[in-house]
Amino acid sequence: MSMRPVGLPEIPEQTVAVARAAFPKGSLAIRVRDRLAEVFVAEPFAGAFGVRGAPGLSPGVLSLVTVLQFAEDLTDRQAVAMAVRAIDWKYALGAELTDTGFDASVLSRFRARLADNGMERVVFDRLLEHCKDAGLVVAGGKQRTDSTHVISAVRDLNRLELAGESVRAALEALAVAAPIWLAGQIDVPEFAERYGPRTDGWRMPSSQAKRDRLAQVFGQDALALCRAAWAEDAPVWIHEVEAVHLLRQVLVQTYIIRSDARGRQVIRKRDADDGVPPGQLRLASPYDADARWAAKGDDLFWMGYKIHLTETCGTLPNANANADADADADADADAGSGSGRMPNLITDVHTTDATVPDVKATAPIQQSLAEHGVKPAEHYLDSGYPSADLITKATQDGIRMVTPVLLDHSAQAKAAEGFDKNAFTINWKTRQVRCPAGRISSHWNPVQQHGTDAIVVTFSVLTCRNCPFQKQCTTSKTGRRMLTLRPEELHDNLARARAEQKTDTWKNKYALRAGVEGTINQALDITGIRRARYRGLPKVRLQHAFSATALNVIRLDAHWTTGPLDRARHSRLERLSYQLSA
């Protein structure tokens, strides 16, 4: 199918008349068409669609359908049905009243085209650019970020289920792609009996001995299939089948092959002593190669992804001369609330696999905001996002990170007894540290720790041995104190941030960050953002980009249609007073 390089089609007169009569006050779909038609055009999608062949539906129309679909949390079939029977949707799409719509599979193929060509954020970025042109989003304001977990669209599997289901997935793929080759490699009736039904823990043997034997059978079958796929006489493309490639990864990650006393190769399931891959590399399902297991605290354990949402908050810069003086008012602000206040709009959506910590997302988010021309002056984040390096880098880039930094985790600081790092005086020029007893350090060693610069300061054993404060200072077996410092600029920034976050002024200011929790809750209620609709990181990113676009459309619609009285919570008496004064 080829792309028609046009925008949204002109609305037929009959559709306009019926829609205006049916919705005299308008609707979300009608207002989106009237105010945001220039966002949904086909030209940005040209790279994903051909120029030859029969003309297909405009990508601009399909992107509008997808945004409305996420705004109402509809399935593909429900969205297509709405495009046929809903008058306001027909108005938005510029369709005739007699238009019979299109097949639901068109939406799936459209998403696949976008994901395959890296166009997940096209519509989101175009709407953000429109809001910038309208003055609703500008650089230099206040923005806040938070993350939440996203559960994958595939079944949770334990290690034994994963081994069996990986063999089953490879067999199912090969039964379609290379049935004749597969029949020459395995005993089809035996494998069909073993792997016909899906691998389910409820149907597995109850005894541990039988489960261990089943795990060995899964491993032997996986090994035999992989050896056949990578054999010299096998077609080259066989092992390029995704399910076969994933089977090989699961085999390596789950099993270990060793030689016994007779020189025979024996395969067995890995245990803790054999070592297992780290979480970011370990496959969790043969049907979603990007989903990962992760944990947060003691209560949350999930398989899937993580999403970070960034939104504007408070007033626009220079919109109110006293804006910075009213931190409490900013803390109570939500999307579109308050007279004269602009809507809080999502400016960035960043999706990763579940194992990526928040601190790894800080720099990419700030870089994305800068690239799109909406870099904030103040960025509000929770304690999972900052580090001394990130705070320093952001400051150099003109971004002030308003975030609680982690406190000193030394034994002395945790116990609130003895001498923590703040009790020592650092002379950066002479590269020496003076302890509370007045003793001078003996060694100053710049090192690399976990890929970052650090300085290890050591006091001499002779210096510490006879010190009257030794028990308050160190519990090391050598009896001497050691300190690990960051380079001077990073150390000073970290110390300044730790001191500042203890003040009431900072605490009142930081209260503004709490509003992003409401945004995540809104995204959960409206678009179901905590559950992936699709498999694979590219398509999950596309889902989140369209979800964020839908939230922005809903917030813009609220900004267009609700007055100051409607946006805030007022008592009936206040409403009566407002009406009488009007």
Side-chain angles (χ1 to χ4, degrees), residues 216-369:
Q216 188 174 9
V217 171
F218 289 159
Q220 290 172 345
D221 292 344
L223 179 60
L225 197 57
C226 287
R227 283 178 172 171
W230 270 268
E232 292 183 0
D233 58 344
V236 177
W237 58 269
I238 290 290
H239 62 258
E240 294 178 354
V241 175
E242 183 181 15
V244 177
H245 178 71
L246 294 178
L247 174 62
R248 188 185 191 187
Q249 288 185 252
V250 172
L251 177 64
V252 172
Q253 294 178 0
T254 309
Y255 293 92
I256 187 168
I257 303 173
R258 290 180 176 174
S259 299
D260 61 10
R262 298 181 180 180
R264 297 175 301 182
Q265 285 190 336
V266 178
I267 184 171
R268 65 176 179 83
K269 191 177 177 183
R270 286 180 180 270
D271 54 29
D273 295 334
D274 299 316
V276 293
Q280 64 267 28
L281 300 178
R282 194 183 315 153
L283 291 178
S285 171
Y287 305 110
D288 189 343
D290 297 322
R292 295 290 184 269
W293 283 105
K296 186 175 183 180
D298 297 328
D299 302 325
L300 182 58
F301 187 56
W302 81 101
M303 181 179 75
Y305 305 91
K306 186 185 290 185
I307 181 175
H308 304 260
L309 291 177
T310 303
E311 67 171 357
T312 58
C313 55
T315 56
L316 294 175
N318 301 324
N320 183 353
N322 298 319
D324 289 337
D326 194 3
D328 291 336
D330 281 344
D332 295 332
D334 57 14
S337 66
S339 177
R341 191 178 290 277
M342 293 294 101
N344 292 344
L345 299 176
I346 298 174
T347 54
D348 187 72
V349 52
H350 184 70
T351 306
T352 66
D353 71 69
T355 63
V356 178
D358 290 351
V359 69
K360 296 293 185 181
T362 307
I365 290 172
Q366 292 178 347
Q367 181 180 356
S368 177
L369 294 173

Side-chain angles (χ1 to χ4, degrees), residues 97-120:
L97 294 179
T98 56
D99 189 282
T100 58
F102 51 90
D103 191 81
S105 63
V106 173
L107 292 176
S108 177
R109 293 198 297 269
F110 172 66
R111 291 192 300 268
R113 285 285 186 97
L114 298 188
D116 292 342
N117 289 273
M119 295 184 175
E120 301 94 337

Side-chain angles (χ1 to χ4, degrees), residues 345-526:
L345 299 176
I346 298 174
T347 54
D348 187 72
V349 52
H350 184 70
T351 306
T352 66
D353 71 69
T355 63
V356 178
D358 290 351
V359 69
K360 296 293 185 181
T362 307
I365 290 172
Q366 292 178 347
Q367 181 180 356
S368 177
L369 294 173
E371 290 174 353
H372 290 90
V374 290
K375 182 174 68 175
E378 293 183 351
H379 195 183
Y380 292 76
L381 309 116
D382 65 25
S383 60
Y385 288 92
S387 69
D389 302 83
L390 291 171
I391 292 174
T392 302
K393 178 65 167 57
T395 302
Q396 294 171 351
D397 293 338
I399 301 175
R400 182 190 178 194
M401 292 175 59
V402 183
T403 172
V405 298
L406 296 178
L407 300 177
D408 187 355
H409 287 304
S410 65
Q412 295 83 356
K414 289 181 179 179
E417 296 179 357
F419 305 122
D420 59 13
K421 290 181 182 179
N422 292 331
F424 292 78
T425 303
I426 305 172
N427 190 324
W428 297 97
K429 292 184 178 180
T430 61
R431 295 188 172 189
Q432 291 180 320
V433 175
R434 181 185 298 273
C435 74
R439 311 290 176 87
I440 302 299
S441 61
S442 58
H443 297 89
W444 178 286
N445 300 316
V447 297
Q448 281 274 330
Q449 292 184 344
H450 307 292
T452 60
D453 294 329
I455 300 168
V456 176
V457 177
T458 309
F459 286 81
S460 171
V461 176
L462 299 177
T463 301
C464 294
R465 180 178 298 168
N466 299 322
C467 179
F469 304 110
Q470 184 187 34
K471 293 183 178 180
Q472 296 174 262
C473 189
T474 182
T475 58
S476 69
K477 294 182 180 180
T478 59
R480 63 178 180 177
R481 181 64 184 266
M482 297 180 64
L483 297 174
T484 301
L485 309 175
R486 299 306 309 277
E488 182 176 5
E489 183 180 8
L490 303 183
H491 177 87
D492 291 343
N493 289 339
L494 198 59
R496 190 182 306 111
R498 285 172 174 168
E500 184 182 16
Q501 70 189 41
K502 297 179 182 179
T503 64
D504 292 338
T505 301
W506 185 92
K507 292 177 181 178
N508 292 334
K509 187 180 186 67
Y510 182 67
L512 180 60
R513 192 212 68 88
V516 73
E517 303 285 354
T519 296
I520 290 179
N521 189 63
Q522 184 186 27
L524 173 62
D525 291 342
I526 294 177

Side-chain angles (χ1 to χ4, degrees), residues 17 82 94 167 202-203 207 262 294 297 342 386 395 464 527 535 581:
M82 287 290 287
V167 178
W202 293 102
R203 292 195 291 264
S207 71
R262 298 181 180 180
M342 293 294 101
T395 302
C464 294
T527 68
R535 300 174 183 177
S581 64

Side-chain angles (χ1 to χ4, degrees), residues 120-134:
E120 301 94 337
R121 285 182 45 134
V122 167
V123 179
F124 176 82
D125 290 339
R126 283 190 62 83
L127 181 58
L128 182 61
E129 192 67 28
H130 172 85
C131 293
K132 284 172 53 184
D133 295 339

